[in-house]
Amino acid sequence: LTIVYSYIGMKTKRIKYTGQTLLNVTLESESMAVDEVVVSARRLNRNDLGISDKEMVSATQKVDMEKLIAAAPVVSIEEALQGQLGGVDIVLGGDPGSRSAIRIRGTSTLNASSDPLIVIDGVPYPTEISDDFNFSTATEEDLGALLNISPNDIASVEVLKDASATAIWGTQGANGVLVIKTKQGTVGKTRFSFSSKWTMKEDPSTIPMLNGKEYTSLMQESIWNSAKYIGLNNPGNKYLNMLSDAPAIGDNPDWRYYDEYNQNTNWLDYVRQKALVSDNSFSMNGGGEKATYRFSLGYMSDIGTTIGTSMNRLNTSMVINYQFSNKLKFGADFSYSQTNTDANWTNTIRSEALSKMPNKSPFTVNDLTGALTDEYFTYHDPNFEGSFNGKSNYNPVAMAHEAINRTVQREGKITFRADYEILPGFYYKGWASINMRAIKTRRFLPQVVTGVEQVNKYANQSADAYSDQLALQTENKLMYIKNWNDKHNIIANVLVRTGQYINSGYNSEVYGNASSDLSDPVVGTTISDMNSSESETRNVSFVGVLNYTLLNRYVVHGSLNAEGNSAMGRNERMGYFPAVGLAWNFQNEPLLEKARDKWLDEAKFRFSIGQSGRAPSGASVYLGAYVKGTDYMNMSATKQARMQLDNLKWDNAPKGNVYTISWLPDYDSEQHPANVGCVEVVRMGGGVTAQILYADNFKMYIRTFLGKEDARWTAWTQV
């Protein structure tokens, strides 16, 4: 028989029992030295599809907004991202509130929008465009999407560049996708944060400009050289007459406007200014094990360096997340923003100032004292300036100070989210979002800017416009994630996404107003334009995504998006867009183990290919449309303005694109088969000015009008 004595941290002692009545036992300490204990953990950053960065097979790039805005005085997302993302071109508008254009891997179309899809916390940001928007003539400021969200509320921005990465967003992501993640609440005590930035803006020096005397001397010399080239004795020499009868650049004190055309004016100095930008933001966040929250409030004021331009933005947001149990999580996002923008009536004010005659005065001159008055000078010499045409030949100083172009945009968004773990590795994620946006614009062009006659359509022209948009979007997703012994990893997703967009708008334009306060059609004014619109579009997407990883090194990715859109022809509602990709994370190969421990973090070869497409902008553009025609015997008549296109396809159709612009029943003098109507398709460049298409028995024919030199139509060709 043996008696065993043991204790934690002591050596075990065994004593053989031989009938002793008393045993005195002393245990010795047993200490063991451990050189180092390391506890390591790995955190995977997964996207909305549960795919980590190393499991991605497509071209993506992410930036941390916190680092970008820490020191840079930026007031918009576009400004913060400029130059930070490879393959992303951002053209910023020069004035406060002017819309910026974002292009991912260049412009992909000449006739439709090239703006990327913007996704905020998994919800697509609605940027629907009206049916009558002309992409071929629009400026960069027209095309951009102004996001009414403060950069201080953004955690990160990720750009999805290729078709494989954007496939899950269907046709909306054909031009690339910007995925924006906003800041969320964190567990812990309530934390407050306040930031205030003040920035002074000043234009750099421009190119040297001529003064008044230098300009008139060069103009006279130019006219004289032209006259000598034609011949001074030539009776038809118009330059000699111009030289003798050009008071705007001559020396005739008896001329009515002699004083106004003998000044030294730097027009650019009259329309620009030093500006101050202030950006203030406040936030608070915190929470416990069950609930987290974040509240933010911001106000930004941006005064432009061009007189008459400014922007004020007020934005607030509230994010709440609640963990009902280990399986169920609920979240709600609330945000509101209001942006007031003052802009010039036209965006050519600086170019007009640079091209204006420097010997001309912006104000009338007192005949007795020779001093400038406070009355704007609006006369335009017909030989050197011309008259106002809607874009040029106006007084830029009066335009900067007196014209009105004021826009108020209010936007509110509510999003509800739910996450539920059905079974281990099997999840349901869903959200529903409501976005409401209202834009009110008021414009006024006073007569003192243009100097046109009272009967001219630009005389005291006034315009009022508003647009309302309601976007209802939902997403339901089933996700399955399974890993077998760190050798096989599968991520599968099935999504159903819906969208409904309701748009309405109104615009009235009048001229001959007695005051800038009378912008609506009233007695004493003439209505030059009045229209209204209301539309509704819907889309639905069914998306399947499968991602398989072998040995943490080899990745295979595949997806298929089936999308339906109400803008498509009734026979071509659904479009199918597949994508596949391969990736090799060769940093996980055994032969690179030493490099991986020292300096190598990620090294990847990847290949992906996918198909994408776009639906035409607008609501039900495939439907035939009628407008008022020439009255017949005191009766109203109608005529067809747009042909019915039941087979209108997605823009990735094998036979190419078909754009419907106008119905021209008698456009072509030559009879074509079946004597059906034509569709005019205007194209720019290459000497081609127009093309005509017509359909007959499910066949499409085309003929092209070649430039002015040929002035002829080509023969009909089937396409």
Side-chain angles (χ1 to χ4, degrees):
L1 179 63
T2 302
I3 301 175
V4 180
Y5 296 88
S6 64
Y7 191 79
I8 297 175
M10 300 293 180
K11 292 183 179 180
T12 302
K13 182 172 288 189
R14 299 174 180 270
I15 300 176
K16 188 174 182 180
Y17 180 70
T18 58
Q20 302 94 324
T21 59
L22 177 63
L23 291 175
N24 294 320
V25 179
T26 302
L27 298 179
E28 298 178 0
S29 175
E30 183 180 38
S31 60
M32 299 178 63
V34 179
D35 293 336
E36 183 179 8
V37 177
V38 177
V39 179
S40 61
R42 182 179 61 177
R43 178 179 179 179
L44 293 178
N45 292 321
R46 298 184 180 274
N47 60 15
D48 291 336
L49 297 177
I51 301 174
S52 66
D53 296 338
K54 293 185 178 181
E55 294 167 333
M56 293 289 293
V57 300
S58 51
T60 64
Q61 185 180 357
K62 181 183 290 186
V63 295
D64 187 355
M65 284 291 293
E66 193 73 29
K67 298 178 181 179
L68 294 182
I69 66 175
V74 297
V75 297
S76 67
I77 300 173
E78 299 96 325
E79 191 175 353
L81 294 179
Q82 191 176 37
Q84 301 296 327
L85 297 169
V88 180
D89 299 322
I90 300 178
V91 181
L92 295 177
D95 296 327
S98 58
R99 302 189 174 188
S100 304
I102 304 175
R103 300 289 179 267
I104 298 178
R105 291 188 171 178
T107 300
S108 58
T109 176
L110 295 177
N111 298 281
S113 173
S114 293
D115 284 344
L117 173 67
I118 298 171
V119 179
I120 303 177
D121 291 332
V123 181
Y125 186 81
T127 54
E128 293 295 309
I129 299 175
S130 60
D131 299 356
D132 56 355
F133 192 86
N134 189 347
F135 288 100
S136 62
T137 61
T139 64
E140 294 290 353
E141 293 185 358
D142 296 324
L143 295 175
L146 175 64
L147 292 180
N148 286 315
I149 181 173
S150 172
N152 297 292
D153 292 332
I154 298 176
S156 66
V157 178
E158 183 178 10
V159 57
L160 312 181
K161 303 176 183 180
D162 59 11
S164 175
T166 63
I168 63 168
W169 298 106
T171 60
Q172 297 181 86
N175 296 321
V177 181
L178 285 178
V179 180
I180 298 174
K181 296 289 187 181
T182 61
K183 296 178 181 178
Q184 305 290 311
T186 56
V187 177
K189 295 182 179 180
T190 300
R191 289 175 291 274
F192 300 92
S193 175
F194 178 75
S195 172
S196 182
K197 297 179 182 178
W198 298 81
T199 307
M200 178 67 72
K201 297 190 298 183
E202 183 179 4
D203 284 346
S205 300
T206 60
I207 59 176
M209 304 296 292
L210 298 174
N211 60 32
K213 293 187 179 299
E214 291 171 340
Y215 173 79
T216 55
S217 297
L218 288 176
M219 290 296 294
Q220 291 171 355
E221 183 178 353
S222 174
I223 296 175
W224 176 251
N225 290 335
S226 299
K228 288 195 301 182
Y229 177 79
I230 294 178
L232 298 178
N233 297 324
N234 189 335
N237 194 332
K238 63 179 181 179
Y239 294 103
L240 281 177
N241 298 330
M242 182 182 296
L243 191 62
S244 61
D245 187 20
I249 60 171
D251 189 14
N252 182 7
D254 296 330
W255 187 45
R256 178 182 178 184
Y257 301 119
Y258 175 79
D259 291 334
E260 282 79 6
Y261 276 89
N262 278 272
Q263 303 290 326
N264 288 311
T265 304
N266 189 332
W267 289 90
L268 192 59
D269 287 344
Y270 276 95
V271 299
R272 63 179 181 174
Q273 62 185 355
K274 294 181 180 179
L276 183 65
V277 180
S278 66
D279 188 9
N280 305 278
S281 63
F282 167 81
S283 67
M284 57 181 294
N285 71 87
E289 296 181 358
K290 290 291 186 180
T292 60
Y293 64 90
R294 184 180 188 274
F295 170 77
S296 68
L297 178 67
Y299 178 78
M300 189 273 297
S301 175
D302 186 1
I303 307 298
T305 56
T306 302
I307 295 175
T309 62
S310 66
M311 182 182 73
N312 298 317
R313 181 182 65 208
L314 172 68
N315 59 275
T316 180
S317 66
M318 184 71 180
V319 181
I320 301 173
N321 293 297
Y322 190 83
Q323 190 87 29
F324 283 95
S325 65
N326 293 332
K327 293 187 175 183
L328 179 61
K329 181 180 179 181
F330 176 81
D333 304 346
F334 307 90
S335 65
Y336 173 81
S337 65
Q338 177 173 320
T339 304
N340 300 333
T341 305
D342 284 328
N344 297 126
W345 190 87
T346 175
N347 57 6
T348 61
I349 188 170
R350 288 204 172 213
S351 61
E352 182 74 13
L354 289 171
S355 62
K356 211 70 178 172
M357 298 173 66
N359 65 320
K360 183 178 179 180
S361 172
F363 303 96
T364 59
V365 179
N366 189 306
D367 294 335
L368 297 178
T369 64
L372 299 181
T373 68
D374 58 358
E375 181 182 350
Y376 295 105
F377 182 57
T378 57
Y379 173 80
H380 289 81
D381 186 271
N383 293 323
F384 295 95
E385 297 173 285
S387 58
F388 181 69
N389 58 8
K391 293 184 179 180
S392 59
N393 302 327
Y394 56 87
N395 188 325
V397 182
M399 180 71 78
H401 288 274
E402 305 299 332
I404 297 174
N405 186 2
R406 187 168 298 130
T407 301
V408 179
Q409 178 170 326
R410 298 180 177 92
E411 183 172 355
K413 185 175 71 171
I414 303 174
T415 303
F416 298 100
R417 311 173 188 278
D419 296 353
Y420 182 69
E421 184 179 3
I422 304 173
L423 296 170
F426 189 37
Y427 307 90
Y428 164 81
K429 298 177 181 291
W431 53 259
S433 178
I434 303 175
N435 186 293
M436 296 164 286
R437 185 188 308 164
I439 302 175
K440 173 73 172 178
T441 303
R442 182 179 176 189
R443 306 175 75 225
F444 180 70
L445 181 64
Q447 198 172 6
V448 296
V449 175
T450 61
V452 297
E453 298 177 351
Q454 185 69 18
V455 295
N456 190 289
K457 68 176 182 177
Y458 293 111
N460 285 346
Q461 185 190 87
S462 181
D464 265 0
Y466 79 83
S467 64
D468 291 328
Q469 182 184 84
L470 174 64
L472 306 175
Q473 302 176 88
T474 66
E475 180 182 281
N476 293 278
K477 174 171 56 182
L478 292 176
M479 178 189 301
Y480 179 70
I481 301 177
K482 181 65 176 178
N483 186 285
W484 290 273
N485 301 323
D486 215 23
K487 294 182 178 180
H488 306 276
N489 187 73
I490 288 181
I491 303 173
N493 288 269
V494 177
L495 296 84
V496 179
R497 189 181 294 119
T498 65
Q500 181 177 1
Y501 310 92
I502 303 173
N503 298 272
S504 63
Y506 170 79
N507 175 69
S508 67
E509 187 175 288
V510 298
Y511 64 91
N513 290 275
S515 168
S516 60
D517 295 326
L518 302 176
S519 57
D520 292 327
V522 295
V523 176
T525 62
T526 303
I527 300 175
S528 57
D529 186 25
M530 181 177 293
N531 58 75
S532 62
S533 62
E534 187 167 354
S535 64
E536 180 179 356
T537 59
R538 296 179 179 179
N539 59 54
V540 60
S541 298
F542 304 92
V543 185
V545 181
L546 180 63
N547 192 284
Y548 171 70
T549 304
L550 176 63
L551 301 175
N552 289 324
R553 299 196 291 271
Y554 314 108
V555 185
V556 180
H557 176 91
S559 66
L560 176 64
N561 174 55
E563 182 171 344
N565 194 299
S566 63
M568 304 306 303
R570 63 183 63 186
N571 299 329
E572 300 288 342
R573 282 284 161 83
M574 297 299 298
Y576 301 92
F577 308 99
V580 295
L582 303 172
W584 175 29
N585 293 288
F586 64 89
Q587 82 276 1
N588 291 331
E589 293 292 344
L591 58 90
L592 294 177
E593 182 177 358
K594 293 183 179 180
R596 189 168 60 249
D597 294 338
K598 294 181 179 180
W599 56 270
L600 183 60
D601 179 59
E602 182 176 0
K604 178 187 292 186
F605 287 121
R606 63 191 179 198
F607 169 81
S608 64
I609 185 173
Q611 185 176 13
S612 186
R614 287 189 66 88
S617 60
S620 303
V621 295
Y622 71 95
L623 289 176
Y626 292 83
V627 297
K628 183 180 182 303
T630 304
D631 293 344
Y632 177 73
M633 297 180 63
N634 297 325
M635 294 183 294
S636 299
T638 61
K639 64 178 181 180
Q640 193 163 13
R642 192 173 66 200
M643 69 185 299
Q644 183 86 7
L645 296 173
D646 290 342
N647 294 320
L648 179 64
K649 299 179 182 294
W650 297 81
D651 71 353
N652 68 332
K655 291 187 178 181
N657 305 338
V658 178
Y659 302 103
T660 306
I661 298 180
S662 59
W663 179 263
L664 305 169
D666 299 318
Y667 189 89
D668 187 14
S669 58
E670 178 183 337
Q671 292 283 72
H672 48 71
N675 194 26
V676 297
C678 306
V679 178
E680 179 189 18
V681 179
V682 178
R683 301 180 183 271
M684 304 298 294
V688 178
T689 58
Q691 289 185 340
I692 293 183
L693 290 84
Y694 75 91
D696 177 34
N697 194 24
F698 299 102
K699 296 180 181 179
M700 189 71 71
Y701 296 86
I702 187 174
R703 71 182 314 189
T704 303
F705 181 78
L706 300 178
K708 295 182 180 179
E709 296 181 359
D710 293 332
R712 64 181 178 85
W713 290 92
T714 61
W716 289 106
T717 304
Q718 181 177 343
V719 294

